[in-house]
Amino acid sequence: MPDRLPIYELEDSLVARFRAERRLIVTAPTGSGKSTQVPQMLLRHGLLGDGQVVVLQPRRLAARLLAARVANELGVELGHEVGYQIRFESRVSDTTRIRFVTEGVLLRQMLDDPLLRGVSALIFDEFHERHLYGDLTLARALDLQESARPDLRLLVMSATLQTRLLSDYLKPGPPLMAEGRVFPVEVRYQDTPSYTDRRPIWEQAADAFSQYVQAGGEGDVLVFMPGAFEIQQTLEAIRHQDESRGFVLLPLHGELAPRDQDAAVARYDRRKVVVSTNVAETSLTIDGVRLVIDSGLARIPRYDPYRGINTLLIEKISRAAADQRAGRAGRTAPGTCIRLWTEQEHAERPTHELPEVKRLDLAEVVLTLKAAGVQDLRRFRWLELPEERALAHAEELLLDLGALKPDTSPNAPHAPPVITPLGRRMLAFPLHPRYARMLLAAQDHGCVYQACLVAALTQGRDLFLRQVDKRVKEYREDLLGTEAPSDLFLLMRAWNFAAKNDYRVEACRKLGVHAVTARQVAPLLDQFLRIAREQGLDTQPGRFQDTALQKCVLIGFSDRVARRLDSGTLRCELVHGRRGVLARESVVQQSPLLVAAEVREVGQTGGETHTILSLATALEPAWLTELFPEDLTRDTRTSYDPTLRRVTAETVVSFRGLTLEQRRLEPPPTDSAARLLAAEVLAGRLKLEQWDHSVDQWILRLNFLHRHCPELGLPPITEEDRRLLVEQVCHGACSSKEIRDKPVKSLVQSWLNAAQRHLLDRHAPERLELANGQRPKVAYHAANPPHIALRIQELFDVHQTPRVAQGRVPILVHILAPSRRPVQVTQDLANFWKEHYPRLKQELQRQYPKHEWR
């Protein structure tokens, strides 16, 4: 009974604190009754005045079921004094005093009514899950409370909460804590690491169930699995166990019909096994559970702003989430939790999940905040600041969609982008900005009804059943066809079939369609059509051109344009340099250009991940020119082909970095060809036969004289100048053959005029005139002094060291034996003749007696 729930231990202090304060934090264990009883306490004690309390829930399923439970406890009809609002569904009235909502619903209400008229209190339930819209709504509520609504009461509560972070943020009084009456739960781990058990996780869970029942375990069983597929497999595996006789086996997840969700939490006269996603971790209490079997897994949505890809991978849950799951077994009696991993593995898990603000797409949130007047997102009152890249990517997408525009005011040259009238209109639709943009574009293309149907078809789970048998495939192909310009068109055909057959299960199953999903599309379609009419759009379902709807999809998803890489595989390249694989079931596999309404990364067997492009629509390149002319670029690309040893060129048309068209260009542009050939020459892979030692020496002579006689004003040849000279040699050619024997020396020497060349020959000569008439060639170097090399006999009568550069630099003389073997290196010939020659003469004369020795 409600009056026996643990939360009532806090009733007096909660009411007293809330009368005196406007902010409060409450922590109480799951199952203590806080989600259902605290709103009633506020109503019963007159803390709401004439207004209502809004209870924020992180999940739609919890909001609906909690509202139903509170209405039942108060003995009122759901939708009157107690109601709920979730995305695409509402059961409230003017008499509603307790309203359960999902977090995004309240944020939109704050946008429409910034003062939250008629709302006396906000309760943020299960805040520890750190859902994105919960963070944002709390921030907006604090701003409102500190400005226009000081009377607004704020209550944050959770089963487990990092109170220090939140207390620093809220600055309320001390948190209220309810201990609750939780029975002990024995936690059992596996003996061997989970990665050593190759069986599917559902088979492991079924074995754990059987062992528990065989050992005499009592009560109901709650099994946690990551998704609907694993839930179904688990139910099948348990159903095949003898120990399941007498048990009611039930699934529980957000995609079930309301009736099936209600069945999972109902009481039965038999024992039951509920296999659930993490929706049963918090908020919902399933009475009678004595055993929890925990796979330790959940499907965690993430968004990678660097690649623009949504991921939905099965990941290990945190230790905090595992503790929440375990606690479900100790609500009514001592219980047991069997974890399908080892205690060592448990210690290695993260303490808490990463908040959604750090792992989800922020585009819809950013647009909402901009509409609410938050110009600088970096200065918003974030509980935890998201990654800069995620904010920047969201703004970039909204700029592409036309929802934002750069702030061109002269007083704010670097101001953040601002919302446009189109962006404000997009917010009328409770959809991701991509779909909202598509719906507004449909007005210009005469297909609003069809665009609304596409939006409705893509908001829930897949309409088509996967892995159907051959008979269903053939029937589907016969009825819907195998050709269409878009996968979305096949969805529309399938839904129309289901609607004409009143969503009968048998008819839908024959086509491989989810009957429940098909039925849920109709109210969504009606809602979108109603909003479209309110926005002044023409929603009549008349005839339309396929290309019109295809263009609307392109307008909404232009950053997901993709091109098939080859006809033999489904590999694609997307804009901004990303890669992916077109879904095997897509009907647009013959289209070289497409746009994908869904890009996601999914886990595969063996730990691999694939980026899958689905809900694809075929495109014509001309549409990009028509709709996005500013995003098209035409470039000429030249490259050197080492096999052909020549430069090739092509003209390339690109859309946001994605190549659309390539054409060979002959001949290649001369400047580009010269640069590429020069680079190959300078790297040593191609050779200019005429660029010989004498050319290099001429350059070294020039640079030498520039260093030592700068007053002569001779321009040196730097490495960059050398590159330009090589380019000049290569100009007009496009292959190695054409440059191999091109003349070089005259072009290089034209670097100097005649007068400058005279100075070079005079002060840095190629040959020296010695006193004895010898004319040795001078070798110049980049770092060392210039040198000559002569045999001793060729130096007779030369007593002074020769000098260059206006006499400033003595020549380094390499003195050779008759065999041309070096015997001395000097820059002081006078000293050589005086000090060293007598000794060398005696030694060399014995070796070379036939040579002249003075």
Side-chain angles (χ1 to χ4, degrees), residues 416-450:
V418 296
I419 193 168
T420 64
L422 175 64
R424 293 189 183 277
R425 292 186 69 195
M426 288 164 61
L427 277 170
F429 296 93
L431 292 161
H432 190 281
R434 300 176 188 279
Y435 284 101
R437 181 68 186 94
M438 178 188 74
L439 294 181
L440 292 175
Q443 174 67 17
D444 298 329
H445 292 85
C447 56
V448 174
Y449 177 88
Q450 290 77 17

Side-chain angles (χ1 to χ4, degrees), residues 188-190 192-195 197 199-209 223-225 293-296 337-342 345 349:
R188 301 176 186 171
Y189 293 94
Q190 303 303 297
T192 56
S194 57
Y195 55 81
D197 192 335
R199 294 175 301 162
I201 194 69
W202 48 84
E203 290 184 8
Q204 299 177 44
D207 284 351
F209 163 78
V223 184
F224 284 101
M225 284 289 159
I293 301 173
D294 190 358
S295 68
C337 174
I338 299 175
R339 291 175 174 166
L340 302 180
W341 64 95
T342 66
E345 288 177 292
R349 292 182 176 226

